Amino acid sequence: MKIGMPLTKFLLEEQRHYPGSTGNFTGLFSDLAVAAKIISREVNKAGLINILGEAGRTNVQGEEVQKLDAYANSTIIKTMEHGGHLSGMASEECEGVIDIPDHYPRGHYLLMFDPLDGSSNIDVNISVGTIFSIIRKTTEGETTEKDFLRPGAEQVSAGYIIYGSSTMLVYTTGHGVHGFTLDPSVGEFLLSHEDIRTAEKGNIYSINEGNTKNWSGGALKYVEEIKKDGLSARYVGSLVADFHRNLLKGGVFLYPADKKNPKGKLRLLYEANPLAFIVEQAGGAASTGLERILDVKPKELHQRTPLIIGSQADVKKAERFFRAETPALSN
Ligand code: AHM
Ligand code: MG
């Protein structure tokens, strides 16, 4: 029985299954867990902002207060850059590639992340999350944007941290999906959800129905159909929270391309790819509506994509509607 096992011990046990392993990945992951704990602590203090100071102002100690998404971004960069495991990083919050400063050692991994997804929800005490994706650098020499533009199928690991009623870290390295809950009293992530499997078919659909007027025929007909099937609507507006609920309960999340966002809203490298890797490892599926997310060849760091993700049967059904649609985004 592994339930209750600390993340660091779990990672070391996993590492033993790979005799040639250098421990580099385990080291990288442990650094990420540290960043997650620091961000979690700060997110939990968000309600105290009026006492401690607002972003852009100084707090009672006279320190400049950062916005939480900027804070999460710099925390990950600072925690990860000196570990010696990375050749570079890319963040939803930064325009170009984040270099590793010359005075730090470099490794062979590349980290992509959305530091605080759904951050507009913080002010109202709703769950937000950090999403990450790790790939290997396959070229020699300087790290360039091109090194990051690999299909999601090449990910070595992906995961997210959800800052909710408790903080949880959920990840995969391609051998199932595992969830760890942060025990604040000991400051450790403890295994709480071993080998998560998502339902083949769910009873929940998650989509921003306020966008109906902008939808294409495929989205309109699909949503009409699943309402007839009696699915329940659940939409938090924090991708990590919507995804996490559907992963555990079964369901489908959709952010399709629409007239306002003709390429979709969510980001391929920081949001869609990592969650697609996780959902597939849990037995689910992720699609643009036309193709498997993990097969999409990225062309730019901040590329957007339509996303349909969740229980296998629900995603396949949605795909049938999107594939059947006629040039829907015209007019
Ligand atoms: P963000 O990266 O700016 O926080 O935006 C991403 C968020 C997701 O968390 C969420 O699924 C989506 O945007 C909600 O969008 P909308 O408000 O258009 O429904
Ligand atoms: Mg985001």
Side-chain angles (χ1 to χ4, degrees), residues 117-182:
D117 184 66
S119 49
S120 59
N121 274 328
I122 289 179
D123 294 348
V124 285
N125 221 336
I126 287 175
S127 304
V128 289
T130 298
I131 314 174
F132 62 89
S133 161
I134 299 164
I135 60 171
R136 269 194 195 88
K137 183 171 184 282
T138 51
T139 57
E140 291 301 318
E142 203 192 328
T143 305
T144 65
E145 175 169 341
K146 225 175 140 210
D147 290 312
F148 292 85
L149 305 181
R150 310 298 310 170
E154 292 184 16
Q155 288 170 104
V156 174
S157 177
Y160 59 85
I161 297 102
I162 178 167
Y163 312 101
S165 42
S166 57
T167 295
M168 259 190 90
L169 183 154
V170 176
Y171 84 99
T172 184
T173 52
H175 304 278
V177 180
H178 308 294
F180 294 78
T181 302
L182 182 63

Side-chain angles (χ1 to χ4, degrees), residues 27-323:
L28 189 170
F29 213 90
S30 304
D31 289 349
L32 254 182
V34 171
K37 287 182 212 172
I38 298 172
I39 297 168
S40 176
R41 184 196 62 199
E42 223 52 29
V43 167
N44 284 326
K45 284 200 312 209
L48 295 169
I49 207 114
N50 290 332
I51 305 167
L52 302 177
E54 280 176 37
R57 302 218 199 120
T58 50
N59 64 17
V60 283
Q61 280 95 31
E63 300 158 333
E64 178 85 11
V65 180
Q66 271 189 306
K67 274 181 120 177
L68 271 174
D69 41 9
Y71 178 85
N73 193 50
S74 57
T75 299
I76 296 176
I77 295 170
K78 274 191 257 154
T79 314
M80 302 307 295
E81 67 184 359
H82 57 74
H85 310 296
L86 294 175
S87 301
M89 295 178 253
S91 160
E92 199 189 287
E93 294 285 328
C94 303
E95 206 181 309
V97 168
I98 304 161
D99 287 321
I100 304 297
D102 285 340
H103 50 279
Y104 291 134
R106 276 152 204 261
H108 296 292
Y109 292 106
L110 299 171
L111 175 69
M112 289 165 267
F113 58 94
D114 182 351
L116 208 57
D117 184 66
S119 49
S120 59
N121 274 328
I122 289 179
D123 294 348
V124 285
N125 221 336
I126 287 175
S127 304
V128 289
T130 298
I131 314 174
F132 62 89
S133 161
I134 299 164
I135 60 171
R136 269 194 195 88
K137 183 171 184 282
T138 51
T139 57
E140 291 301 318
E142 203 192 328
T143 305
T144 65
E145 175 169 341
K146 225 175 140 210
D147 290 312
F148 292 85
L149 305 181
R150 310 298 310 170
E154 292 184 16
Q155 288 170 104
V156 174
S157 177
Y160 59 85
I161 297 102
I162 178 167
Y163 312 101
S165 42
S166 57
T167 295
M168 259 190 90
L169 183 154
V170 176
Y171 84 99
T172 184
T173 52
H175 304 278
V177 180
H178 308 294
F180 294 78
T181 302
L182 182 63
D183 180 342
S185 62
V186 290
E188 262 287 7
F189 282 104
L190 305 179
L191 182 64
S192 51
H193 298 66
E194 192 180 6
D195 198 15
I196 297 170
R197 304 293 299 168
T198 198
E200 160 68 20
K201 180 162 181 0
N203 291 317
I204 294 172
Y205 75 98
S206 311
I207 188 167
N208 185 343
E209 288 204 72
N211 293 334
T212 308
K213 66 177 189 312
N214 297 324
W215 286 350
S216 67
L220 285 169
K221 287 187 189 140
Y222 172 68
V223 171
E224 200 181 293
E225 180 75 13
I226 54 177
K227 282 183 176 170
K228 282 190 211 141
D229 294 345
L231 266 66
S232 274
R234 294 283 184 275
Y235 192 78
V236 173
S238 263
L239 178 60
V240 172
D242 280 311
F243 176 84
H244 183 70
R245 181 202 53 242
N246 292 2
L247 181 75
L248 297 184
K249 295 199 166 182
V252 60
F253 171 96
L254 301 97
Y255 212 116
D258 60 25
K259 281 182 199 149
K260 197 170 145 211
N261 302 289
K263 295 181 172 169
K265 178 186 177 188
L266 300 172
R267 315 285 177 152
L268 178 62
L269 297 181
Y270 315 111
E271 293 167 327
N273 270 344
L275 299 185
F277 190 19
I278 290 171
V279 87
E280 284 201 5
Q281 283 293 314
S287 168
T288 63
L290 302 177
E291 72 174 313
R292 179 182 177 232
I293 288 286
L294 295 183
D295 289 335
V296 176
K297 293 191 180 64
K299 294 193 184 68
E300 55 186 20
L301 276 184
H302 295 283
Q303 187 166 328
R304 294 177 193 268
T305 179
L307 178 64
I308 302 168
I309 190 164
S311 292
Q312 176 100 231
D314 298 303
V315 173
K316 298 290 162 209
K317 181 169 180 165
E319 275 183 328
R320 289 199 289 279
F321 283 83
F322 282 89
R323 286 193 177 130

